[in-house]
Coordinates of all heavy atoms in Angstrom, one line a residue:
M972 N 100.6 171.9 113.0 CA 100.0 170.6 113.4 C 99.5 170.7 114.8 O 100.2 171.0 115.7 CB 101.0 169.5 113.2 CG 100.5 168.2 113.5 SD 101.6 166.9 112.9 CE 101.7 165.9 114.3
G973 N 98.2 170.5 115.0 CA 97.6 170.6 116.3 C 97.7 169.3 117.0 O 98.1 168.2 116.5
L974 N 97.2 169.3 118.3 CA 97.3 168.2 119.2 C 96.3 167.1 118.6 O 96.6 165.9 118.7 CB 96.9 168.6 120.6 CG 96.9 167.5 121.6 CD1 98.2 166.9 121.8 CD2 96.3 168.0 122.9
G975 N 95.2 167.5 118.1 CA 94.2 166.5 117.6 C 94.8 165.7 116.4 O 94.6 164.5 116.3
Q976 N 95.4 166.4 115.5 CA 96.0 165.8 114.4 C 97.1 164.8 114.8 O 97.3 163.7 114.3 CB 96.6 166.8 113.4 CG 97.1 166.2 112.1 CD 96.1 165.5 111.3 OE1 94.9 165.9 111.2 NE2 96.5 164.4 110.7
Y977 N 97.9 165.2 115.8 CA 99.0 164.4 116.3 C 98.4 163.1 116.9 O 98.9 162.0 116.6 CB 99.8 165.1 117.4 CG 100.8 164.2 118.1 CD1 102.0 163.9 117.5 CD2 100.5 163.7 119.4 CE1 102.9 163.1 118.1 CE2 101.5 162.9 120.0 CZ 102.7 162.6 119.4 OH 103.6 161.8 120.0
I978 N 97.3 163.1 117.6 CA 96.7 162.0 118.2 C 96.1 161.1 117.1 O 96.3 159.8 117.2 CB 95.6 162.4 119.2 CG1 96.2 163.0 120.5 CG2 94.7 161.2 119.7 CD1 95.3 163.6 121.5
K979 N 95.5 161.6 116.1 CA 95.0 160.8 115.0 C 96.1 160.1 114.2 O 96.0 158.9 113.9 CB 94.3 161.7 114.0 CG 92.9 162.2 114.4 CD 92.3 163.1 113.4 CE 91.0 163.6 113.9 NZ 90.3 164.5 112.9
D980 N 97.2 160.8 114.0 CA 98.4 160.2 113.4 C 99.0 159.1 114.2 O 99.4 158.0 113.7 CB 99.5 161.2 113.0 CG 99.0 162.2 111.9 OD1 98.1 161.8 111.2 OD2 99.7 163.2 111.8
T981 N 99.0 159.3 115.5 CA 99.6 158.3 116.4 C 98.7 157.0 116.4 O 99.2 155.9 116.3 CB 99.7 158.8 117.8 OG1 100.5 160.0 117.8 CG2 100.3 157.8 118.8
R982 N 97.4 157.2 116.5 CA 96.5 156.1 116.4 C 96.6 155.3 115.1 O 96.6 154.1 115.0 CB 95.0 156.5 116.6 CG 94.7 156.8 118.0 CD 93.2 157.0 118.1 NE 92.8 156.8 119.4 CZ 91.5 157.0 119.9 NH1 90.6 157.4 119.0 NH2 91.2 156.9 121.1
S983 N 96.8 156.0 114.0 CA 97.0 155.4 112.7 C 98.2 154.6 112.7 O 98.2 153.5 112.1 CB 97.0 156.5 111.6 OG 97.3 155.9 110.4
E984 N 99.3 155.1 113.2 CA 100.6 154.3 113.3 C 100.5 153.1 114.2 O 101.0 152.0 113.9 CB 101.7 155.2 113.7 CG 102.2 156.2 112.7 CD 102.7 155.6 111.4 OE1 103.4 154.6 111.5 OE2 102.4 156.1 110.4
L985 N 99.7 153.2 115.3 CA 99.6 152.1 116.2 C 98.8 150.9 115.5 O 98.9 149.8 115.9 CB 98.9 152.5 117.5 CG 99.8 153.3 118.4 CD1 99.0 153.8 119.7 CD2 101.0 152.5 118.9
N986 N 97.9 151.2 114.6 CA 97.2 150.2 113.8 C 98.1 149.4 112.9 O 97.8 148.3 112.6 CB 96.1 150.8 113.0 CG 94.9 151.3 113.9 OD1 94.7 150.8 115.0 ND2 94.2 152.3 113.4
H987 N 99.3 149.9 112.6 CA 100.3 149.2 111.7 C 101.2 148.4 112.5 O 102.0 147.6 111.9 CB 101.1 150.2 110.9 CG 100.2 151.0 109.9 ND1 99.6 150.5 108.9 CD2 99.9 152.3 109.9 CE1 98.9 151.4 108.2 NE2 99.1 152.6 108.8
V988 N 101.2 148.5 113.8 CA 102.1 147.7 114.7 C 101.7 146.3 114.7 O 100.5 145.9 114.8 CB 102.2 148.3 116.1 CG1 103.0 147.4 117.1 CG2 102.7 149.7 116.1
A989 N 102.7 145.4 114.6 CA 102.4 143.9 114.7 C 102.5 143.5 116.2 O 103.6 143.2 116.7 CB 103.4 143.1 113.8
W990 N 101.4 143.5 116.9 CA 101.4 143.2 118.3 C 101.5 141.7 118.5 O 101.0 140.9 117.8 CB 100.0 143.7 118.9 CG 99.9 145.2 118.8 CD1 99.1 145.8 118.0 CD2 100.5 146.1 119.7 NE1 99.2 147.2 118.2 CE2 100.0 147.4 119.2 CE3 101.4 146.1 120.7 CZ2 100.4 148.6 119.8 CZ3 101.8 147.3 121.3 CH2 101.3 148.5 120.9
P991 N 102.3 141.3 119.6 CA 102.4 139.9 119.8 C 101.1 139.3 120.4 O 100.3 140.0 121.0 CB 103.5 139.8 120.9 CG 103.5 141.2 121.5 CD 103.1 142.1 120.5
T992 N 101.0 138.0 120.1 CA 99.8 137.3 120.6 C 99.9 137.1 122.1 O 101.0 137.3 122.7 CB 99.6 135.9 119.9 OG1 100.7 135.1 120.3 CG2 99.5 136.1 118.4
R993 N 98.9 136.7 122.7 CA 98.9 136.4 124.2 C 99.9 135.3 124.5 O 100.6 135.4 125.5 CB 97.5 136.0 124.7 CG 97.4 135.7 126.1 CD 95.9 135.4 126.5 NE 95.8 135.0 127.9 CZ 95.5 135.9 128.9 NH1 95.4 137.1 128.6 NH2 95.4 135.4 130.1
V994 N 100.0 134.3 123.7 CA 100.9 133.2 124.0 C 102.3 133.7 123.8 O 103.2 133.3 124.6 CB 100.6 132.0 123.0 CG1 101.7 130.9 123.1 CG2 99.2 131.4 123.3
Q995 N 102.6 134.5 122.8 CA 103.9 135.0 122.6 C 104.4 135.9 123.8 O 105.5 135.8 124.3 CB 104.0 135.8 121.3 CG 104.0 135.0 120.1 CD 103.9 135.9 118.8 OE1 103.3 137.0 118.8 NE2 104.6 135.5 117.8
T996 N 103.4 136.7 124.3 CA 103.7 137.5 125.4 C 104.1 136.7 126.7 O 105.0 137.0 127.4 CB 102.5 138.4 125.7 OG1 102.2 139.2 124.5 CG2 102.8 139.4 126.8
I997 N 103.3 135.6 126.9 CA 103.6 134.8 128.1 C 105.0 134.1 127.9 O 105.8 134.0 128.8 CB 102.5 133.8 128.3 CG1 101.2 134.5 128.7 CG2 102.8 132.7 129.3 CD1 99.9 133.6 128.7
V998 N 105.2 133.6 126.7 CA 106.5 132.9 126.5 C 107.7 133.8 126.6 O 108.7 133.5 127.3 CB 106.5 132.2 125.1 CG1 107.9 131.7 124.7 CG2 105.5 131.1 125.0
Y999 N 107.6 135.0 126.1 CA 108.7 136.0 126.2 C 108.9 136.4 127.6 O 110.0 136.6 128.1 CB 108.4 137.2 125.3 CG 108.5 136.9 123.8 CD1 107.7 137.7 122.9 CD2 109.2 135.9 123.3 CE1 107.8 137.4 121.6 CE2 109.2 135.6 121.9 CZ 108.5 136.4 121.1 OH 108.6 136.1 119.7
T1000 N 107.8 136.6 128.4 CA 107.9 137.0 129.8 C 108.6 135.9 130.6 O 109.5 136.2 131.4 CB 106.5 137.2 130.4 OG1 105.9 138.2 129.6 CG2 106.6 137.6 131.8
I1001 N 108.2 134.6 130.4 CA 108.9 133.5 131.0 C 110.4 133.4 130.6 O 111.3 133.2 131.5 CB 108.2 132.2 130.7 CG1 106.8 132.2 131.4 CG2 109.0 131.0 131.2 CD1 105.9 131.0 131.0
L1002 N 110.7 133.7 129.4 CA 112.0 133.6 128.9 C 112.9 134.7 129.6 O 114.0 134.5 130.0 CB 112.1 133.8 127.4 CG 113.4 133.6 126.7 CD1 113.9 132.2 126.8 CD2 113.2 133.9 125.2
V1003 N 112.3 135.9 129.7 CA 113.1 137.0 130.3 C 113.3 136.7 131.8 O 114.4 136.9 132.3 CB 112.3 138.3 130.2 CG1 112.8 139.4 131.1 CG2 112.3 138.8 128.8
V1004 N 112.4 136.1 132.5 CA 112.5 135.8 133.9 C 113.6 134.7 134.1 O 114.5 134.8 134.9 CB 111.2 135.3 134.5 CG1 111.4 134.7 135.9 CG2 110.2 136.5 134.6
V1005 N 113.6 133.7 133.2 CA 114.6 132.6 133.3 C 116.0 133.1 133.0 O 116.9 132.8 133.7 CB 114.2 131.4 132.4 CG1 115.3 130.4 132.2 CG2 112.9 130.7 132.9
I1006 N 116.1 133.9 132.0 CA 117.4 134.4 131.6 C 117.9 135.3 132.8 O 119.1 135.3 133.1 CB 117.4 135.1 130.3 CG1 117.2 134.1 129.2 CG2 118.6 136.0 130.1 CD1 117.0 134.7 127.8
S1007 N 117.1 136.1 133.3 CA 117.5 137.0 134.5 C 118.0 136.2 135.6 O 119.0 136.5 136.3 CB 116.3 137.9 134.9 OG 115.9 138.7 133.8
I1008 N 117.3 135.1 136.0 CA 117.7 134.2 137.1 C 119.1 133.6 136.8 O 119.9 133.6 137.6 CB 116.6 133.2 137.4 CG1 115.4 133.9 138.0 CG2 117.2 132.1 138.3 CD1 114.2 132.9 138.1
L1009 N 119.2 133.1 135.5 CA 120.5 132.5 135.2 C 121.7 133.5 135.2 O 122.7 133.1 135.7 CB 120.4 131.8 133.8 CG 119.5 130.6 133.7 CD1 119.4 130.2 132.2 CD2 120.0 129.5 134.5
V1010 N 121.4 134.7 134.7 CA 122.5 135.7 134.8 C 122.8 136.1 136.2 O 124.0 136.2 136.6 CB 122.1 136.9 133.9 CG1 123.0 138.1 134.2 CG2 122.1 136.6 132.5
S1011 N 121.8 136.2 137.1 CA 122.1 136.5 138.5 C 122.9 135.4 139.2 O 123.8 135.7 140.0 CB 120.8 136.9 139.2 OG 120.0 135.7 139.3
L1012 N 122.5 134.1 138.9 CA 123.3 133.0 139.4 C 124.7 133.0 138.9 O 125.7 132.8 139.7 CB 122.6 131.7 139.1 CG 121.3 131.4 139.8 CD1 120.6 130.2 139.3 CD2 121.5 131.3 141.3
Y1013 N 124.9 133.2 137.7 CA 126.2 133.3 137.1 C 127.1 134.4 137.7 O 128.2 134.1 138.1 CB 126.1 133.5 135.6 CG 127.4 133.7 134.8 CD1 128.1 132.6 134.4 CD2 127.8 134.9 134.4 CE1 129.3 132.7 133.7 CE2 129.0 135.1 133.7 CZ 129.7 134.0 133.3 OH 130.9 134.1 132.6
L1014 N 126.6 135.5 137.8 CA 127.3 136.6 138.5 C 127.5 136.4 139.9 O 128.6 136.7 140.5 CB 126.6 138.0 138.3 CG 126.5 138.5 136.8 CD1 125.7 139.7 136.7 CD2 127.9 138.7 136.3
G1015 N 126.5 135.8 140.6 CA 126.7 135.5 142.0 C 127.8 134.5 142.3 O 128.5 134.6 143.2
V1016 N 127.9 133.4 141.5 CA 128.9 132.4 141.6 C 130.3 133.0 141.4 O 131.2 132.8 142.2 CB 128.7 131.2 140.6 CG1 129.9 130.4 140.5 CG2 127.5 130.4 141.1
F1017 N 130.5 133.8 140.4 CA 131.8 134.5 140.2 C 132.1 135.5 141.3 O 133.3 135.6 141.7 CB 131.9 135.1 138.8 CG 132.2 134.1 137.7 CD1 131.3 133.6 136.9 CD2 133.5 133.6 137.6 CE1 131.6 132.6 135.9 CE2 133.9 132.7 136.7 CZ 132.9 132.2 135.8
D1018 N 131.1 136.2 141.8 CA 131.4 137.1 142.9 C 131.8 136.4 144.1 O 132.8 136.8 144.7 CB 130.1 137.9 143.2 CG 130.3 138.9 144.3 OD1 131.2 139.7 144.3 OD2 129.5 138.8 145.3
F1019 N 131.2 135.2 144.4 CA 131.5 134.4 145.5 C 133.0 133.9 145.4 O 133.8 134.0 146.3 CB 130.6 133.3 145.7 CG 130.9 132.3 146.8 CD1 130.6 132.6 148.1 CD2 131.5 131.1 146.5 CE1 130.9 131.8 149.1 CE2 131.8 130.2 147.5 CZ 131.5 130.5 148.8
L1020 N 133.3 133.4 144.2 CA 134.6 132.8 143.9 C 135.7 133.9 144.0 O 136.8 133.7 144.7 CB 134.7 132.1 142.6 CG 133.9 130.9 142.4 CD1 133.9 130.4 141.0 CD2 134.4 129.8 143.4
F1021 N 135.5 135.0 143.4 CA 136.5 136.1 143.5 C 136.6 136.7 144.9 O 137.8 137.0 145.3 CB 136.1 137.2 142.5 CG 136.4 136.8 141.0 CD1 135.4 137.2 140.1 CD2 137.5 136.2 140.7 CE1 135.6 136.8 138.8 CE2 137.7 135.8 139.3 CZ 136.8 136.1 138.4
T1022 N 135.5 136.8 145.6 CA 135.6 137.4 147.0 C 136.4 136.4 147.9 O 137.3 136.9 148.6 CB 134.2 137.6 147.5 OG1 133.5 138.5 146.7 CG2 134.3 138.2 148.9
N1023 N 136.1 135.1 147.8 CA 136.8 134.2 148.6 C 138.3 134.0 148.2 O 139.2 133.9 149.0 CB 136.1 132.8 148.6 CG 134.9 132.8 149.5 OD1 134.7 133.7 150.3 ND2 134.0 131.9 149.2
G1024 N 138.5 134.0 146.9 CA 139.9 133.9 146.4 C 140.7 135.1 146.8 O 141.9 135.0 147.2
L1025 N 140.2 136.3 146.7 CA 140.9 137.5 147.1 C 141.1 137.5 148.6 O 142.2 137.9 149.1 CB 140.1 138.7 146.7 CG 140.8 140.1 146.9 CD1 142.1 140.2 146.1 CD2 139.9 141.2 146.6
G1026 N 140.2 137.0 149.4 CA 140.3 136.9 150.8 C 141.4 136.0 151.2 O 142.3 136.3 152.1
K1027 N 141.5 134.8 150.5 CA 142.6 133.9 150.8 C 143.9 134.4 150.4 O 144.9 134.2 151.0 CB 142.3 132.5 150.2 CG 141.1 131.8 150.9 CD 140.8 130.5 150.3 CE 139.6 129.9 151.0 NZ 139.3 128.6 150.7
L1028 N 143.9 135.1 149.3 CA 145.2 135.7 148.8 C 145.7 136.8 149.8 O 146.9 136.8 150.1 CB 145.0 136.4 147.4 CG 146.2 137.1 146.8 CD1 147.2 136.0 146.4 CD2 145.8 137.9 145.6
V1029 N 144.8 137.6 150.3 CA 145.2 138.6 151.3 C 145.7 137.9 152.6 O 146.7 138.4 153.2 CB 144.0 139.5 151.6 CG1 144.3 140.4 152.8 CG2 143.7 140.4 150.4
E1030 N 145.1 136.8 153.0 CA 145.6 136.1 154.2 C 147.0 135.5 154.0 O 147.7 135.4 155.0 CB 144.6 135.0 154.5 CG 143.3 135.4 155.0 CD 142.3 134.3 155.2 OE1 142.7 133.1 155.0 OE2 141.2 134.5 155.6
T1031 N 147.4 135.1 152.8 CA 148.7 134.5 152.6 C 149.8 135.6 152.4 O 151.0 135.2 152.6 CB 148.7 133.7 151.3 OG1 148.4 134.5 150.2 CG2 147.7 132.5 151.4
V1032 N 149.5 136.8 152.1 CA 150.5 137.9 152.0 C 150.9 138.3 153.4 O 150.1 138.5 154.3 CB 149.9 139.1 151.3 CG1 150.9 140.3 151.3 CG2 149.5 138.7 149.9
P1033 N 152.3 138.3 153.6 CA 152.7 138.7 155.0 C 152.3 140.1 155.3 O 152.3 141.0 154.5 CB 154.2 138.5 154.9 CG 154.6 138.6 153.5 CD 153.4 138.1 152.7
A1034 N 152.0 140.3 156.6 CA 151.6 141.6 157.1 C 152.8 142.5 157.1 O 153.9 142.1 157.4 CB 151.0 141.5 158.5
A1035 N 152.5 143.8 157.0 CA 153.6 144.8 157.1 C 154.0 145.0 158.5 O 153.2 144.8 159.4 CB 153.1 146.1 156.5
P1036 N 155.3 145.3 158.8 CA 155.7 145.4 160.2 C 155.0 146.6 160.8 O 154.7 147.6 160.2 CB 157.2 145.7 160.0 CG 157.4 146.1 158.6 CD 156.3 145.5 157.8
Q1037 N 154.8 146.5 162.1 CA 154.2 147.5 162.9 C 155.2 148.7 163.1 O 156.3 148.4 163.5 CB 153.7 147.0 164.2 CG 152.6 146.0 164.1 CD 151.3 146.6 163.6 OE1 151.0 147.8 163.8 NE2 150.5 145.8 162.8
V1038 N 154.8 149.9 162.8 CA 155.6 151.0 163.0 C 155.1 151.8 164.2 O 153.9 152.1 164.3 CB 155.6 151.9 161.8 CG1 156.4 153.2 162.0 CG2 156.0 151.2 160.5
T1039 N 156.0 152.1 165.2 CA 155.6 152.8 166.4 C 155.9 154.3 166.1 O 156.9 154.7 165.6 CB 156.4 152.3 167.6 OG1 157.8 152.4 167.3 CG2 156.0 150.9 167.9
P1040 N 155.0 155.1 166.5 CA 155.2 156.6 166.3 C 156.3 157.1 167.2 O 156.5 156.6 168.3 CB 153.8 157.2 166.6 CG 153.1 156.2 167.4 CD 153.7 154.9 167.0
I1041 N 157.0 158.1 166.7 CA 158.0 158.8 167.5 C 157.4 159.9 168.3 O 156.7 160.7 167.8 CB 159.1 159.3 166.6 CG1 159.8 158.1 165.9 CG2 160.2 160.1 167.4 CD1 160.8 158.6 164.8
N1042 N 157.7 159.9 169.6 CA 157.3 161.0 170.5 C 158.4 162.1 170.4 O 159.5 161.9 170.8 CB 157.1 160.5 171.9 CG 156.5 161.6 172.8 OD1 156.3 162.7 172.3 ND2 156.3 161.3 174.0
L1043 N 158.1 163.3 169.8 CA 159.0 164.3 169.6 C 159.5 164.9 170.9 O 160.6 165.6 171.0 CB 158.5 165.4 168.7 CG 158.2 165.0 167.3 CD1 157.6 166.1 166.5 CD2 159.5 164.5 166.6
D1044 N 158.8 164.7 172.0 CA 159.2 165.2 173.3 C 160.5 164.5 173.8 O 161.3 165.0 174.6 CB 158.1 165.1 174.3 CG 156.9 166.0 174.0 OD1 157.2 167.1 173.3 OD2 155.8 165.7 174.4
D1045 N 160.6 163.2 173.3 CA 161.8 162.4 173.8 C 163.0 162.6 172.9 O 164.1 162.1 173.3 CB 161.4 160.9 173.7 CG 160.3 160.6 174.7 OD1 160.1 161.4 175.7 OD2 159.6 159.6 174.5
V1046 N 162.9 163.3 171.8 CA 164.0 163.5 170.9 C 164.8 164.8 171.3 O 164.2 165.8 171.5 CB 163.5 163.6 169.4 CG1 164.7 163.9 168.5 CG2 162.8 162.4 169.1
Q1047 N 166.1 164.7 171.3 CA 167.0 165.8 171.6 C 167.6 166.3 170.3 O 168.2 165.6 169.6 CB 168.1 165.5 172.6 CG 167.5 165.1 173.9 CD 168.7 164.7 174.9 OE1 169.8 164.7 174.5 NE2 168.3 164.4 176.1
F1048 N 167.3 167.6 170.0 CA 167.8 168.2 168.8 C 169.1 169.0 169.1 O 169.2 169.6 170.2 CB 166.8 169.2 168.2 CG 165.6 168.4 167.7 CD1 164.4 168.4 168.4 CD2 165.6 167.8 166.5 CE1 163.3 167.8 168.0 CE2 164.5 167.1 166.0 CZ 163.3 167.1 166.8
S1049 N 170.1 168.9 168.2 CA 171.3 169.7 168.4 C 171.1 171.1 167.9 O 170.5 171.4 166.9 CB 172.4 169.0 167.6 OG 173.6 169.8 167.6
T1050 N 171.5 172.1 168.7 CA 171.3 173.5 168.4 C 172.6 174.1 167.8 O 172.6 175.3 167.5 CB 170.9 174.2 169.7 OG1 171.9 174.1 170.7 CG2 169.6 173.8 170.1
T1051 N 173.6 173.3 167.7 CA 174.9 173.9 167.1 C 174.7 174.0 165.6 O 174.1 173.1 164.9 CB 176.1 173.0 167.4 OG1 175.9 171.7 166.9 CG2 176.3 173.0 168.9
T1052 N 175.3 175.0 165.0 CA 175.3 175.2 163.6 C 176.7 175.2 163.1 O 177.7 175.6 163.7 CB 174.6 176.5 163.2 OG1 175.3 177.6 163.8 CG2 173.2 176.5 163.6
S1053 N 176.9 174.7 161.9 CA 178.3 174.7 161.3 C 178.3 175.8 160.3 O 177.4 176.1 159.5 CB 178.5 173.3 160.6 OG 177.7 173.1 159.6
T1054 N 179.4 176.5 160.2 CA 179.6 177.6 159.3 C 180.8 177.2 158.4 O 181.8 176.6 158.9 CB 179.8 178.9 160.0 OG1 181.0 178.8 160.8 CG2 178.6 179.3 160.8
T1055 N 180.7 177.6 157.2 CA 181.8 177.4 156.3 C 182.3 178.8 155.8 O 181.6 179.7 155.5 CB 181.3 176.6 155.0 OG1 180.6 175.5 155.4 CG2 182.4 176.3 154.1
T1056 N 183.6 178.9 155.9 CA 184.2 180.2 155.5 C 184.8 180.0 154.1 O 185.4 179.0 153.8 CB 185.3 180.6 156.5 OG1 186.3 179.6 156.5 CG2 184.8 180.9 157.8
V1057 N 184.7 181.0 153.3 CA 185.2 181.0 152.0 C 186.4 182.0 152.0 O 186.4 183.1 152.4 CB 184.1 181.5 151.0 CG1 184.7 181.6 149.6 CG2 182.9 180.7 151.1
E1058 N 187.5 181.4 151.5 CA 188.7 182.3 151.4 C 188.9 182.9 150.1 O 188.5 182.5 149.0 CB 190.0 181.4 151.7 CG 189.9 180.9 153.1 CD 191.1 180.0 153.4 OE1 192.2 180.2 152.8 OE2 191.0 179.1 154.2

């Protein structure tokens, strides 16, 4: 099957397609835009609520105590070793 035959078959199939009218295209486009705006508002409201709710929840949880690091130069290590004898 050559390229020419493929193009002829494609054109033949496109003649069988039920294309929407101009009015249908405009109505569907408006519908898509309106639904997109509604979904974005819906997600935005829940994002705002969850973000603020989580922020307030984190504020109410008590903070962990501050841990100060140990300076190993100030620590004295014992150099004695214990030995166990077996009889």
Side-chain angles (χ1 to χ4, degrees):
M972 180 165 133
L974 180 63
Q976 184 63 37
Y977 174 76
I978 293 174
K979 285 180 187 177
D980 290 343
T981 302
R982 280 190 164 175
S983 174
E984 287 298 321
L985 286 177
N986 289 331
H987 298 294
V988 173
W990 296 102
T992 64
R993 180 178 176 89
V994 173
Q995 286 175 326
T996 304
I997 292 170
V998 169
Y999 292 154
T1000 302
I1001 292 171
L1002 188 63
V1003 167
V1004 169
V1005 168
I1006 290 174
S1007 298
I1008 290 171
L1009 291 176
V1010 168
S1011 67
L1012 288 174
Y1013 177 79
L1014 292 175
V1016 166
F1017 277 103
D1018 178 54
F1019 177 78
L1020 292 175
F1021 287 136
T1022 301
N1023 284 340
L1025 186 62
K1027 289 183 182 189
L1028 178 69
V1029 168
E1030 289 174 3
T1031 60
V1032 174
Q1037 293 293 327
V1038 178
T1039 56
I1041 298 174
N1042 186 356
L1043 292 179
D1044 294 335
D1045 298 338
V1046 178
Q1047 295 179 357
F1048 293 101
S1049 173
T1050 58
T1051 61
T1052 58
S1053 64
T1054 59
T1055 307
T1056 57
V1057 179
E1058 295 179 29

